Amino acid sequence: RAGIDISDVPAAFAEDAHPREELIRIAQTRAEEAFGRSFARVVYVGDGPWDVRAAAVLGIGFVGVATGTRKAWLEQAGARLVLPDFQDEAAFLAAIASP
């Protein structure tokens, strides 16, 4: 949806696993294998309250992407940072870099 070419990006998708926590673990494992190292910090980007909860269960960072009612749902679920979209690249990069 963001128009980003992910053909060479290690990732995981909904059909790869359930629950969400396992999906995130798969994505992290694929990234670590692709780059040949582990990561000191992981940030999950999502748009549902289940995404906020999954990140909390795993103890990783979370950045929400939503507006209106969906933004309120994310904030009620515990999201501290919710962007309206991916249009502002600098804001997005700053969000995933923030502690």
Side-chain angles (χ1 to χ4, degrees), residues 16-38:
D16 288 327
H18 189 78
R20 188 69 48 154
E21 294 86 354
E22 185 59 25
L23 178 69
I24 296 167
R25 284 188 192 105
I26 290 170
Q28 182 175 352
T29 298
R30 289 177 181 170
E32 289 172 348
E33 289 171 355
F35 291 97
R37 66 183 192 95
S38 61

Side-chain angles (χ1 to χ4, degrees), residues 65-76:
V65 179
T67 59
T69 302
R70 291 190 70 91
K71 178 182 179 191
W73 291 344
L74 293 180
E75 291 170 340
Q76 289 170 359

Side-chain angles (χ1 to χ4, degrees), residues 25-72:
R25 284 188 192 105
I26 290 170
Q28 182 175 352
T29 298
R30 289 177 181 170
E32 289 172 348
E33 289 171 355
F35 291 97
R37 66 183 192 95
S38 61
F39 297 98
R41 188 165 173 277
V42 175
V43 178
Y44 182 56
V45 178
D47 64 356
W50 48 86
D51 295 320
V52 179
R53 288 189 292 274
V57 166
L58 294 172
I60 62 174
F62 178 81
V63 173
V65 179
T67 59
T69 302
R70 291 190 70 91
K71 178 182 179 191

